[in-house]
Amino acid sequence: MKVSLKDIAQALNLSKATISWILSGQGEAKGFSEATIKRVKEYADSVNYRPNQVARSLSLGTSNTLGLIIPFIGDTFYAQLAQAIETEVTQNGYSLIICSSEGDGDKEYKLIQMLKSKQVDGIIISPTKVSRKGIDLLAKDIMPFVLVNTYYPNIPTNYVIVNNCQGSYDLVYHIGKKGAKKIALLITDIHLYVMKQRVDGYRKALKDLNLYNDLSLEVFVERQNYKVDIIDKLDYLFSEQPDVDGFFFSTHYLALEAIRYFIGHNIDYQNRFQMCCFHDTSALDVLAPRMSISKIPIHKMGVESVKILLENIQDKETGYKAVILDNELLPSGYSKDP
């Protein structure tokens, strides 16, 4: 049976207000003796009392809970990002509710409404950008929030991203210098501004290298159906550009699916292509140890997003803050080859 403040007050012959003040940490400020404070806390522990968090948040105006919305919780990148954010949130004395929008703008909007109804103090979100209505709702209600990994360039918000254009440029320029002459790009979620930045970095590197640049080398893969769509797209690429000798994978999961395709078609990808990927994931170190990697600082991204959010919660007049992090270029990927 759940124990209430009233039950504790009756058992200890104290007022309900006294019990509430002491269990909310205000006992000393209200002038109660150490003995009374100790007595109340020990009894509450003995009967396994748990406060009503909704009532507590309404009375204090804060829930000490944050929300996190990511597109795909099963994706290794977002799983690592969620872990980094949760660790930082916990170290700052908060709890975290983690949600997945599945890349659906309508679901994202409903999740934002749900988190608001639970009185969270702020939200960290990696938006789908298929729909703006969720972000517009947050901005309208002046709720503290931070965008992470992607953002809206025309909407003033807090955000933490990486330098997508420079990271992509460095990768493509590097494999071009290593000998690749005809480099294909595999890209998805092109509606995201950060993905457009990766395309810009790719194109700029080709231009600076004076390399062959043709739209048929830019392979756009549908995100919701990428495991199937990539097969058709690579079939078409090799029919149009059979002498392609390099690949820039804009995401880790496209790299994995492309390698699955190469293996299935008996293509000696290790020796035939120069390859590079924006961020890494497990298995790439075994499947493509010489692939060049632009490694995203996931932990730092998580720490910065929590830091900005807590600053806004504590001081709503801090204004908007933008953080752009640099990736780490791993020129030879996981191998020690020069």
Side-chain angles (χ1 to χ4, degrees), residues 205-232:
L206 293 185
K207 180 179 179 181
D208 289 352
L209 289 163
N210 293 315
L211 291 183
Y212 182 80
N213 186 2
D214 189 284
L215 287 179
S216 64
L217 288 171
E218 297 182 6
V219 181
F220 296 89
V221 181
E222 294 179 10
R223 177 64 176 91
Q224 298 293 345
N225 193 36
Y226 73 93
K227 290 186 178 182
V228 175
D229 191 48
I230 197 171
I231 296 173
D232 294 334

Side-chain angles (χ1 to χ4, degrees), residues 2-3 5 23 49-54 56:
K2 188 175 180 179
V3 178
L5 288 177
L23 293 182
Y49 170 74
R50 293 292 180 269
N52 185 320
Q53 292 298 334
V54 174
R56 183 174 185 273

Side-chain angles (χ1 to χ4, degrees), residues 87-125:
T87 298
E88 188 66 14
V89 165
T90 301
Q91 289 178 352
N92 281 276
Y94 283 74
S95 298
L96 184 68
I97 300 174
I98 303 175
C99 311
S100 176
S101 67
E102 302 300 325
D104 185 323
D106 290 332
K107 184 177 180 181
E108 177 182 277
Y109 181 75
K110 291 177 181 177
L111 288 172
I112 290 173
Q113 289 181 310
M114 179 273 291
L115 291 172
K116 284 169 59 61
S117 71
K118 289 186 177 295
Q119 304 289 323
V120 298
D121 298 328
I123 296 176
I124 298 173
I125 179 171

Side-chain angles (χ1 to χ4, degrees), residues 105-106 108-109 112 131-138 152:
D106 290 332
E108 177 182 277
Y109 181 75
I112 290 173
S131 170
R132 274 183 42 172
K133 63 180 181 179
I135 304 304
D136 289 339
L137 175 64
L138 289 173
Y152 296 82

Side-chain angles (χ1 to χ4, degrees), residues 66-294:
L66 305 178
L68 170 63
I69 302 176
I70 52 179
F72 302 100
I73 202 165
D75 184 288
T76 55
F77 169 79
Y78 286 111
Q80 292 173 40
L81 180 61
Q83 182 181 39
I85 290 173
E86 183 176 36
T87 298
E88 188 66 14
V89 165
T90 301
Q91 289 178 352
N92 281 276
Y94 283 74
S95 298
L96 184 68
I97 300 174
I98 303 175
C99 311
S100 176
S101 67
E102 302 300 325
D104 185 323
D106 290 332
K107 184 177 180 181
E108 177 182 277
Y109 181 75
K110 291 177 181 177
L111 288 172
I112 290 173
Q113 289 181 310
M114 179 273 291
L115 291 172
K116 284 169 59 61
S117 71
K118 289 186 177 295
Q119 304 289 323
V120 298
D121 298 328
I123 296 176
I124 298 173
I125 179 171
S126 182
T128 64
K129 208 166 183 290
V130 173
S131 170
R132 274 183 42 172
K133 63 180 181 179
I135 304 304
D136 289 339
L137 175 64
L138 289 173
K140 178 181 178 181
D141 289 354
I142 320 178
M143 168 173 273
F145 70 98
V146 179
L147 306 184
V148 62
N149 192 49
T150 188
Y151 73 115
Y152 296 82
N154 57 338
I155 303 178
T157 61
N158 296 309
Y159 63 82
V160 181
I161 60 170
V162 296
N163 194 330
N164 290 276
C165 184
Q166 188 62 49
S168 300
Y169 176 91
D170 291 343
L171 281 173
V172 177
Y173 193 87
H174 175 70
I175 66 171
K177 283 296 186 180
K178 288 180 69 175
K181 301 299 182 184
K182 190 174 284 191
I183 303 170
L185 161 70
L186 264 68
I187 188 83
T188 189
D189 284 337
I190 195 61
H191 59 280
L192 296 176
Y193 188 70
V194 295
M195 287 301 189
K196 292 177 181 177
Q197 291 176 316
R198 294 179 195 182
V199 175
D200 289 343
Y202 161 81
R203 291 173 178 171
K204 186 175 187 300
L206 293 185
K207 180 179 179 181
D208 289 352
L209 289 163
N210 293 315
L211 291 183
Y212 182 80
N213 186 2
D214 189 284
L215 287 179
S216 64
L217 288 171
E218 297 182 6
V219 181
F220 296 89
V221 181
E222 294 179 10
R223 177 64 176 91
Q224 298 293 345
N225 193 36
Y226 73 93
K227 290 186 178 182
V228 175
D229 191 48
I230 197 171
I231 296 173
D232 294 334
K233 296 298 173 61
L234 285 175
D235 283 344
Y236 183 78
L237 172 68
F238 284 117
S239 69
E240 292 292 309
Q241 302 289 349
D243 57 342
V244 61
D245 61 358
F247 279 91
F248 167 41
F249 304 110
S250 64
T251 71
H252 54 285
Y253 54 85
L254 289 183
L256 286 174
E257 290 306 316
I259 290 174
R260 189 192 302 275
Y261 175 96
F262 297 152
I263 293 173
H265 288 73
N266 296 313
I267 297 174
D268 183 14
Y269 65 94
Q270 298 273 33
N271 296 307
R272 179 174 169 182
F273 308 124
Q274 292 286 346
M275 299 188 297
C276 59
C277 183
F278 204 97
H279 198 52
D280 63 350
T281 189
S282 58
L284 278 183
D285 57 336
V286 175
L287 295 171
R290 296 194 301 274
M291 181 183 292
S292 300
I293 301 293
S294 184

